[in-house]
């Protein structure tokens, strides 16, 4: 029977890590999987995390189980950052639970949606490949709409059309900020409209906030999510700390549910708890505990926010330098300057993507998605020259 299993392709994004690692060239460049890198090309542990980890090792007196909801101190301390300081639980309507990374949160959210009787998820195209993959694995249908318009902005017409055609049993999955893979986010005015469209269409919004603070700022990056939440009765929010706390392999995330009547919250969340139990029982503790220790401590919080500011500033500098290159060979790098987060798509053909790898040792996704944080003032000219060469 096991012998009947078919070969599955390796995950294309994760496979890039190995491809890059095995390239012997000293001047190779990794613009693949979404991890932040410093101007020296490193992905160090945040100093605030190191300090919190030292405290954790010194102070933690037990590793006994916490339950499927994980570290609720962590879950609650994040809420003012996500939902705003004024009413972080929207008057008792929001509760969360810890999950293994943003993927764990999405897996639970989509499984809850399925259990609640939803059958279809409206997803932008392109999206992070794991969105569609989780829907497929759960047997949820996907209705795609075009995300990016020809003018470099978002394709609002396509989103309006998708929502106008929505049926009972539909949910919509939107990136809260730092759209992965395009870097093209909705403007605040567009979010204002989207919030009303979602409310009118009665689809369930699932908001994926995996990069808060890496776009325009912690508050700015939450604008769309907050705008949607005030317009609708119910929503699911998938959160990741893997990027904004640099905890990637520690898998730190949270799932929040917003319901219309606070009396329903415990019942709704009991579904998250039972699904977690059936999937991973309880989330890993270490990274979430470190985040909680940071958020419980004013000085550590200030240090973390300062480190996040530096990351964002560096990515802005890289984006500005790429944009300044303007027309490069057959492509225009200008739009990269106005995009947000770790990613942008350069319109390479599949052959050009291969040539960037084989001839220049520059690795990024087959979609043309580059991780801008992989560029430094030391290698960016090499990248621009390679783009000019393969697209000429
Ligand atoms: C990415 O898109 O590169 C990141 O979200 C990492 C991942 O798990 O795919």
């Amino acid at each position: 029977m096991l012998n009947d299993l078919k070969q599955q392709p390796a995950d294309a994004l994760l496979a890039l890590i190995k491809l890059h690692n095995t390239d012997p060239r000293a001047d190779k460049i990794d613009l693949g999987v979404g991890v932040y890198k410093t101007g020296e090309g490193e992905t160090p542990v945040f100093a605030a995390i190191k300090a919190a980890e030292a405290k954790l090792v010194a102070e933690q007196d037990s590793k006994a189980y916490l339950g499927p909801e994980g570290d609720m101190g962590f879950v609650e301390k994040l809420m003012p950052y996500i939902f705003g300081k004024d009413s972080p639980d929207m008057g008792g309507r929001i509760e969360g639970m810890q999950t293994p990374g943003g993927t764990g949160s999405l897996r639970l959210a989509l499984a809850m949606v399925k259990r609640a009787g939803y059958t279809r998820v409206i997803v932008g195209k392109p999206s992070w490949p794991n969105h569609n993959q989780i829907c497929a694995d759960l047997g949820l249908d996907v209705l795609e709409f075009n995300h990016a318009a020809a003018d470099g902005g978002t394709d609002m017409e396509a989103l309006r059309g998708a929502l106008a055609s929505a049926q009972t049993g539909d949910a919509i999955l939107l990136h809260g900020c730092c759209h992965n893979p395009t870097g093209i986010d909705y403007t605040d005015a567009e979010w204002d409209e989207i919030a009303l469209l979602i409310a009118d269409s009665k689809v369930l919004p699932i908001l994926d906030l995996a990069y808060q603070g890496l776009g325009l700022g912690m508050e700015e990056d939450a604008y769309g999510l907050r705008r949607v939440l005030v317009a609708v009765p119910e929503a699911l929010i998938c959160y990741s700390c893997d990027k904004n706390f640099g905890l990637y392999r520690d898998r730190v995330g949270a799932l929040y549910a917003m319901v219309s009547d606070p009396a329903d919250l415990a019942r709704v969340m009991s579904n998250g708890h039972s699904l977690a139990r059936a999937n991973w029982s309880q989330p890993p503790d270490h990274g979430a505990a470190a985040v909680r220790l940071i958020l419980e401590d004013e000085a550590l919080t200030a240090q973390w926010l300062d480190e996040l500011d530096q990351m964002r500033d560096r990515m802005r500098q890289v984006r500005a330098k790429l944009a300044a290159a303007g027309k490069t060979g057959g492509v225009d790098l200008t739009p990269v300057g106005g995009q947000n987060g770790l990613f942008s798509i350069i319109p390479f053909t599949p052959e050009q993507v291969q040539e960037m790898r084989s001839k220049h040792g520059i690795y990024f996704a087959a979609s043309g998605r580059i991780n801008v944080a992989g560029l430094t003032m030391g290698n960016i000219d090499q990248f621009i020259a390679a783009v000019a060469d393969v697209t000429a």
Side-chain angles (χ1 to χ4, degrees):
M1 293 274 280
L2 287 180
N3 204 28
D4 294 335
L5 288 171
K6 298 199 173 53
Q7 179 68 39
Q8 301 295 320
D11 182 90
L13 276 175
L14 301 182
L16 278 174
I17 301 173
K18 281 206 192 99
L19 269 184
H20 172 263
N21 285 349
T22 49
D23 187 325
R25 283 171 283 190
D27 62 351
K28 63 188 174 179
I29 304 178
D30 175 16
L31 308 180
V33 78
V35 293
Y36 175 76
K37 292 184 192 161
T38 63
E40 288 71 48
E42 277 146 20
T43 306
V45 181
F46 279 41
I49 288 285
K50 279 279 187 204
E53 285 180 316
K55 207 167 162 184
L56 187 62
V57 168
E59 291 175 6
Q60 192 170 50
D61 49 15
S62 175
K63 288 193 181 285
Y65 293 126
L66 289 177
E69 67 274 38
D71 184 334
M72 285 302 285
F74 153 80
V75 170
E76 279 157 20
K77 278 283 171 198
L78 274 174
M79 290 173 71
Y81 293 94
I82 306 171
F83 305 111
K85 286 191 281 296
D86 293 341
S87 179
D89 68 353
M90 304 278 281
R93 291 171 55 212
I94 300 182
E95 194 183 300
M97 60 187 287
Q98 189 199 324
T99 59
T103 301
S105 176
L106 281 157
R107 176 84 202 182
L108 275 199
L110 290 162
M112 262 168 101
V113 154
K114 167 113 185 180
R115 192 182 263 187
Y118 291 90
T119 52
R120 190 169 72 161
V121 187
I122 303 172
V123 184
K125 186 179 175 176
S127 194
W128 183 46
N130 227 8
H131 283 161
N132 286 22
Q133 185 158 276
I134 297 173
C135 288
D137 196 47
L138 287 166
L140 287 160
D141 292 334
V142 166
L143 172 70
E144 293 190 315
F145 65 93
N146 187 48
H147 175 71
D151 68 1
T154 59
D155 188 344
M156 283 298 287
E157 249 339 286
L159 177 57
R160 286 184 198 112
L163 284 169
S165 73
Q167 306 159 1
T168 312
D170 282 352
I172 184 164
L173 175 53
L174 291 173
H175 300 238
C177 68
C178 303
H179 186 266
N180 179 3
T182 66
I184 300 171
D185 285 336
Y186 295 112
T187 64
D188 288 359
E190 286 170 346
W191 276 116
D192 293 345
E193 182 187 345
I194 292 167
L196 299 179
L197 291 174
I198 291 178
D200 280 351
S201 68
K202 305 207 168 21
V203 300
L204 175 78
I206 306 169
L207 299 155
D208 184 4
L209 198 60
Y211 297 87
Q212 189 183 12
L214 277 78
L216 299 172
M218 284 295 286
E219 283 294 298
E220 294 85 341
D221 291 350
Y223 179 87
L225 174 145
R226 293 182 195 168
R227 191 66 194 78
V228 172
L229 294 190
V230 294
V232 299
E234 300 184 325
L236 291 170
I237 299 93
C238 300
Y239 196 81
S240 175
C241 295
D242 292 339
K243 315 288 163 45
N244 60 3
F245 285 86
L247 283 163
Y248 314 95
R249 70 174 77 150
D250 279 350
R251 313 306 301 142
V252 185
L255 168 68
Y256 296 88
M258 185 184 81
V259 297
S260 53
D261 181 349
D264 297 335
L265 200 46
R267 181 166 42 80
V268 170
M269 287 309 292
S270 75
N271 285 274
H273 301 160
S274 75
L275 285 164
R277 177 67 167 151
N279 276 285
W280 47 77
S281 183
Q282 328 202 11
D285 177 65
H286 180 86
V291 170
R292 174 176 48 73
L293 288 176
I294 289 177
L295 299 180
E296 283 171 355
D297 181 307
E298 237 174 78
L300 285 181
T301 299
Q303 186 178 13
W304 159 61
L305 287 171
D306 185 51
E307 291 180 80
L308 193 55
D309 286 348
Q310 287 176 37
M311 287 165 65
R312 193 173 53 247
D313 289 350
R314 199 187 89 70
M315 288 192 290
R316 282 273 156 238
Q317 282 166 24
V318 170
R319 286 187 177 281
K321 177 130 196 206
L322 284 177
K327 192 154 177 346
T328 303
V331 297
D332 183 9
L333 296 177
T334 316
V336 174
Q339 296 166 356
N340 293 327
L342 287 175
F343 309 117
S344 279
I345 287 199
I346 313 290
F348 293 110
T349 64
E351 295 73 32
Q352 290 166 347
V353 172
Q354 287 310 322
E355 205 179 340
M356 287 290 279
R357 290 182 193 171
S358 57
K359 185 166 171 196
H360 296 285
I362 302 178
Y363 291 83
F364 49 86
S367 61
R369 185 194 85 167
I370 60 162
N371 171 11
V372 298
L375 293 171
T376 66
M377 291 307 145
N379 66 20
I380 195 165
D381 290 330
Q382 180 193 340
F383 173 74
I384 293 169
V387 173
D389 176 47
V390 305
T391 62

